[in-house]
Amino acid sequence: MKRPLAQVVSTGRAIPAHVMTNHDFAAIGLETSHDWIVERTGIVERHIARDGETTCSLGSEASRIAMQRAGVHAGDVDAILLSTATPDRLLPATAVDIQAELGATRAAAFDLSAACSGWLYGLTVAEGMIASGSAETILVIASEKMSSIVDWTDRATCVLFGDGAGATVLKRSRHHKGILSSFMRSDGTLAELLYRPHGGATVPITEAVLMDRSHFVKMAGREVFKHAVRSMAEACDRALDAARLTGKDIDLLIPHQANVRIIEATAKHAGISMDKVYVNVDRYGNTSSASIPISLDEAFETGRIGEGATVLMVAFGAGFTWASTIVRF
Ligand code: COA
């Protein structure tokens, strides 16, 4: 096992106050049911951004909490990495809006686009920056306003997602705590199984695009499901092997929260019993890359992660991308 180079020293989260339950879809004329959604996904409700809540505002709020817990001032931050699939504007990066909002005048800031795996990708990038000596204190944030990119007339996707943000402060490892292993992969040949067909540089937003709603998320749900189960299993194996650990050594598994059936399959493959798996997909739906840092923050708050705990985090998302990280706290 390698010596840890960087550690997660604090966490924070920001969740929009507005709750939308499965029953609320009837009010927008969607043909679905609470029972169908719960049975297929485990989702009961999700939080939806309202009134000026943005990817920047949620990310900034989560960051302030994480910074305060770490005793880090805005001027101490060397870099801000924001994972998001829903930047507030396409140019510049939303990370610089957060930089301005926090007053982090010494910080580099950039967005990272790896869909639901983005926060784990961000941890690995930040670890490398710390190891190289180019940064000492890094905010790794995931903030997602999925409600702005789903098609609210498409029942196969809009019921699945929610909004929220999680943030963490990363510093150099001390006392052998920190990142024990990580793994990242991608397969762009499968990009069109989960994507936004138009609205980018190739086919910019036009009246025709707006009319056919092709700027919204499209997903081949069943195919995505199969790949998610397979890839998250592989990611668990690779991170465990690299850290010379097995599922038995893991105190808590925090999987990306997309679907409780994918979570159960992942835990089973890794040999981790469900009482050691963090699940909140019922309350938040799929908040894309924010799902793991939100879960991590809740797990600390509720005492699910104690001193010395070994936590395996694993994600899968559009791209496809998939990733895993094991951290000793
Ligand atoms: N309410 C009611 N019926 C719905 C529905 C909804 N919200 N969404 C889809 N259906 C219907 C479909 O129209 C289909 O009807 P049909 O058989 O008459 O055509 C039927 O339910 C089955 O659809 P299918 O897509 O095969 O269902 P499924 O069991 O695969 O479950 C998902 C659908 C989306 C829940 C599931 O595929 C899934 O979770 N996939 C992974 C999604 C994911 O995690 N994405 C993010 C990865 S980061």
Side-chain angles (χ1 to χ4, degrees):
M1 190 194 305
K2 79 174 171 83
R3 197 170 56 81
L5 301 166
Q7 72 178 120
V8 176
V9 295
S10 69
T11 61
R13 69 179 185 277
I15 310 292
H18 178 70
V19 175
M20 183 173 188
T21 71
N22 291 343
H23 299 288
D24 293 334
F25 287 107
I28 59 167
L30 204 74
E31 209 177 300
T32 186
S33 71
H34 170 76
D35 291 349
W36 190 95
I37 300 170
V38 171
E39 189 188 311
R40 304 292 174 110
T41 71
I43 299 166
V44 174
E45 58 188 33
R46 70 285 293 142
H47 292 248
I48 301 293
R50 283 275 167 91
D51 303 335
E53 283 172 321
T54 63
T55 296
C56 171
S57 72
L58 293 168
S60 301
E61 188 185 333
S63 299
R64 280 198 193 94
I65 295 166
M67 287 161 62
Q68 197 236 330
R69 286 178 178 159
V72 162
H73 301 285
D76 303 330
V77 177
D78 298 309
I80 298 172
L81 275 65
L82 171 67
S83 164
T84 190
T86 56
D88 287 333
R89 296 176 295 216
L90 292 183
L91 187 76
T94 302
V96 301
D97 293 329
I98 294 178
Q99 177 272 330
E101 181 67 28
L102 298 176
T105 49
R106 289 179 50 254
F110 60 96
D111 288 1
L112 193 155
S113 175
C116 303
S117 311
W119 184 77
L120 287 181
Y121 268 57
L123 272 193
T124 303
V125 173
E127 179 194 34
M129 290 169 73
I130 287 171
S132 75
S134 65
E136 279 181 18
T137 303
I138 305 184
L139 270 171
V140 186
I141 311 164
S143 183
E144 306 278 13
K145 192 172 163 180
M146 297 305 288
S147 60
S148 68
I149 62 166
V150 296
D151 182 346
W152 287 94
T153 65
D154 176 13
R155 66 178 183 175
T157 52
C158 75
V159 303
L160 303 175
F161 295 97
D163 301 334
T168 43
V169 173
L170 237 76
K171 280 179 168 287
R172 186 168 288 281
S173 169
R174 294 177 62 217
H175 311 301
H176 299 287
K177 291 178 179 174
I179 297 172
L180 303 182
S181 68
S182 328
F183 169 79
M184 297 187 289
R185 276 289 185 280
S186 65
D187 184 355
T189 64
L190 301 170
E192 294 185 4
L193 293 178
L194 175 51
Y195 75 136
R196 294 174 69 189
H198 297 144
T202 308
V203 183
I205 295 264
T206 58
E207 211 171 309
V209 168
L210 292 175
M211 291 301 286
D212 72 11
R213 310 180 77 78
S214 57
H215 57 309
F216 289 127
V217 171
K218 309 281 175 217
M219 181 175 71
R222 213 169 265 188
E223 282 303 304
V224 173
F225 189 99
K226 278 189 267 179
H227 285 282
V229 169
R230 197 178 309 149
S231 301
M232 284 172 72
E234 180 201 5
C236 287
D237 290 347
R238 299 295 287 263
L240 286 166
D241 287 351
R244 296 185 201 286
L245 298 174
T246 71
K248 290 192 178 58
D249 302 308
I250 298 301
D251 297 302
L252 189 67
L253 170 65
I254 303 184
H256 170 49
Q257 308 282 318
N259 182 312
V260 78
R261 294 185 290 144
I262 298 174
I263 292 173
E264 284 164 357
T266 303
K268 189 171 174 200
H269 175 87
I272 298 171
S273 57
M274 281 305 288
D275 59 314
K276 290 185 174 175
V277 181
Y278 199 81
V279 180
N280 61 14
V281 68
D282 52 327
R283 291 182 284 124
Y284 296 125
N286 181 347
T287 57
S288 189
S289 66
S291 88
I292 293 178
I294 289 171
S295 302
L296 189 62
D297 187 52
E298 287 192 342
F300 272 114
E301 205 168 86
T302 54
R304 297 280 305 267
I305 299 176
E307 187 71 24
T310 304
V311 178
L312 167 59
M313 300 177 279
V314 58
F316 174 86
F320 292 137
T321 60
W322 57 108
S324 55
T325 301
I326 298 177
V327 178
R328 176 155 304 140
F329 286 95

